[in-house]
Amino acid sequence: MSKNFDVVVIGGGPGGYIAAIRAAQLGFNTACIDEWKNEKGGPAPGGTCTNVGCIPSKALLQSSEHYEHAGHAFAEHGIEVKGLGLNLAQMLGRKNSVVKQNNDGILYLFKKNKVTFFHGRGSFVKGDANGYEIKVAGAAEESIVAKHVVVATGSNARALPGAPFDEELILSNTGALAITEVPKKLGVIGAGVIGLEMGSVWRRLGAEVTVLEALPTFLGAVDEQIAKEAQKLLAKQGLTVNLGVKIGDIKAGKKDVSVEYTDNKGGAQKAVFDKLIISIGRTPNTTGLNAEGIGLKLDERGFIAVDGDCKTNLPNVWAVGDVVRGPMLAHKAEEEGVAVAERIAGQHGHVNFNTIPWVIYTSPEIAWVGKTEQQLKADGIAYKAGTFPFLANGRARALGDTSGMVKFLADAKTDEILGVHIVGPMASELIAEAVVAMEFRASAEDIARICHAHPSLSEATKEAALAVDKRALNF
């Protein structure tokens, strides 16, 4: 027997579950379909982010940072640790517990907001502007009908040709989060967000980590000055990053993986690793959706084709998050999910790609929003720049982490903030002030004139804004 809904969301990741909740808040009879399973086969909504991405990686980054501090930084604070040991099983168990808390939290939010949840894989059967039949393949197959459908099926890790993921020796982000013994030698192909974060986790826990990156520059999307500082700091920690390499044959043996590659000088190289993480990007997940059967248009890269409002070519069918164009970020998916629900309700949903923050949760953290200096130069935009090092920040000194800086870029004539770039402690939190400022089209002078608490890391933001006008007070 069919069940009829105003809105059905296919996918329960950040874009999907948020879209469902917002639609329910707006008075729609809403359902969300999600197929993720926990180790017991039960529902585990939250998508890649919650299950094998953002949440578990941050849990391991935090645990591994505590371990490294106990082994190296505590002594400076007068804290003596003897007989330091690593209980990796406990660390992984805590990570799993954090994931489960988030899974359960989403299920609670569905119940609170009266969102009907279906555990299984959702796919189109047939439909038009009058309604769409959606099949849910779970423990038992059932059919539901929706007036509006929001596709939020996310993305999958991209594999290298000839090196499929086995999650034992050749790992995607999923396997990288579940290594049960610290490898002596760990290889990482791809110096992006996932590669650097996972490399950082296992380096802190004792692995010798080598990162192989095809691009000739480190973090090419990041402001060049910030990227160079980050590279220097990560290298100092012991993270080896080889740039401009060309990957050749990858062969998995019984206990290790060999990688042949050409270095940036054209020399043939070979490395053998206990484990190999491949993090070369992600591909949109439309498998099993029956997009072709329903006539849902995909673009040349396999993403669901949408317009600026996330509308597809089919009436009343929308798509958000990793499965559509734009940055593959959980918070971008959330904003699109809210915007689509509001557009269905006849409101004016808002997503500003120019003020979406980016974060890499290494130590130091790297965060930015807006234009980089190289982008402004390429666009011929006259700008002013101001920087302030955490070395001159009192709170950073007290924390014992003075690495990095804050950098402001402002329009040369209007002083409007065009970009803010941070490498240093708690950059992921500090960047929020810059996002708010840019959304309200604030000037660097606006931030420079706002009173910031002392001592706080946020004072570095104020000082960088002051530095745009060459009047920093503490450096």
Side-chain angles (χ1 to χ4, degrees), residues 77 388-403 425-426 430 452-461 474:
H77 293 266
F388 187 82
F390 284 105
L391 183 67
N393 177 266
R395 183 66 190 278
R397 290 172 182 154
L399 286 173
D401 187 356
T402 57
S403 58
M426 303 304 290
L430 296 174
H452 289 64
H454 174 78
S456 68
L457 295 173
S458 67
E459 287 179 288
T461 304
N474 285 285

Side-chain angles (χ1 to χ4, degrees), residues 182-188 199 202-211 238-240 271-275:
V182 178
K184 292 182 179 179
K185 291 188 176 183
L186 173 67
V188 179
W202 296 107
R203 182 206 61 77
R204 293 171 189 167
L205 298 180
E208 178 186 320
V209 179
T210 301
V211 181
L239 195 69
T240 300
V272 178
F273 303 109
D274 299 301
K275 304 280 186 182

Side-chain angles (χ1 to χ4, degrees), residues 178-252:
I179 301 174
T180 56
E181 184 177 343
V182 178
K184 292 182 179 179
K185 291 188 176 183
L186 173 67
V188 179
I189 297 179
V193 177
I194 296 171
L196 292 177
E197 289 185 0
M198 289 297 91
S200 292
V201 165
W202 296 107
R203 182 206 61 77
R204 293 171 189 167
L205 298 180
E208 178 186 320
V209 179
T210 301
V211 181
L212 304 174
E213 170 57 51
L215 294 175
T217 56
F218 183 70
L219 293 176
V222 177
D223 184 89
E224 187 176 345
Q225 183 180 9
I226 297 297
K228 287 181 177 178
E229 181 69 11
Q231 184 179 14
K232 180 181 71 176
L233 293 168
L234 291 172
K236 188 177 179 180
Q237 294 172 7
L239 195 69
T240 300
V241 180
N242 296 326
L243 300 172
V245 308
K246 184 177 180 180
I247 301 296
D249 288 339
I250 298 175
K251 295 180 180 178

Side-chain angles (χ1 to χ4, degrees), residues 49-77:
C49 174
T50 295
N51 291 289
V52 291
C54 323
I55 301 303
S57 64
K58 302 313 161 286
L60 285 185
L61 280 160
Q62 188 65 61
S63 296
S64 62
E65 190 167 345
H66 284 327
Y67 179 75
E68 185 167 63
H69 284 176
H72 302 283
F74 278 4
E76 183 183 349
H77 293 266

Side-chain angles (χ1 to χ4, degrees), residues 79-96:
I79 304 170
E80 297 180 355
V81 178
K82 296 180 180 179
L84 179 67
L86 172 65
N87 185 336
L88 185 55
Q90 171 65 25
M91 189 178 289
L92 294 174
R94 177 187 178 274
K95 178 259 296 182
N96 294 337

